[in-house]
Amino acid sequence: MWLPDRRTLLLSLAALTGCGFTPVYGPQGGGTKLLNAVALDEPTDRDSYDFNQRFEERLGRGIGPYQLKVSTAVTSKGLGSLADGQTTRYRLTGWATYTLSPVGVDEVLVSGRTSSFTAYSATGSTVATQTSERDAYRRLMVILADQVVDRLLLEADTLSE
């Protein structure tokens, strides 16, 4: 029983090494270029604070040689309602547009746009609804920051040293 499982595992590993797979934080991976190397603008609101916090959790707080400019936007839409017309659920859709440049230079090395959504319930008390809304915004910024980090890591091997 164990022999076929080991063979499958070994063949899978051999296939990964044969296809040019390189771990992003490995010796030949480009991800180490971005660790503690990406400076962010100071947060101006709760959303940008939550975005920056998650970004720095993943890549560390950087002072250069790269500067990341991020612009986020969020829309809210009511989804469910009661017979009296009261909205019971909201959907938040968010976008993050980003550009990575060398510090002090206008040259764009990597740019893109990412989007995601989350939702929250508005059926509880006023305090519970406000807490749910705040948490949904925070979760959305975490998702967007993770997507931006992932895309930067995918492009990291193209960045100059």
Side-chain angles (χ1 to χ4, degrees), residues 40-56 70-72 74 137-138 141 145:
L40 298 169
D41 290 337
E42 292 293 322
T44 57
D45 57 11
R46 184 184 297 267
D47 287 346
S48 60
Y49 176 82
D50 290 336
F51 183 95
N52 287 5
Q53 181 181 19
R54 179 58 179 168
F55 189 92
E56 290 175 353
V70 179
S71 170
T72 60
V74 179
Y137 272 91
R138 185 193 58 75
M141 290 302 118

Side-chain angles (χ1 to χ4, degrees), residues 117-136:
F117 69 93
T118 190
Y120 68 96
S121 175
T123 58
S125 66
T126 303
V127 172
T129 299
Q130 289 174 345
T131 302
S132 295
E133 179 182 17
R134 191 174 314 129
D135 181 63

Side-chain angles (χ1 to χ4, degrees), residues 9-72:
L9 175 66
L10 291 175
L11 288 174
S12 298
L13 291 174
L16 280 177
T17 57
C19 74
F21 172 76
T22 305
V24 72
Y25 294 120
Q28 285 81 29
T32 55
K33 293 178 190 175
L34 296 176
L35 291 177
N36 298 313
V38 181
L40 298 169
D41 290 337
E42 292 293 322
T44 57
D45 57 11
R46 184 184 297 267
D47 287 346
S48 60
Y49 176 82
D50 290 336
F51 183 95
N52 287 5
Q53 181 181 19
R54 179 58 179 168
F55 189 92
E56 290 175 353
E57 283 176 9
R58 297 267 317 265
L59 289 181
R61 181 173 294 197
I63 55 172
Y66 304 111
Q67 175 72 36
L68 184 71
K69 299 283 186 188
V70 179
S71 170
T72 60

Side-chain angles (χ1 to χ4, degrees), residues 136-148:
Y137 272 91
R138 185 193 58 75
R139 286 183 284 125
L140 183 59
M141 290 302 118
V142 167
I143 292 168
L144 293 174
D146 282 341
Q147 289 178 345
V148 169

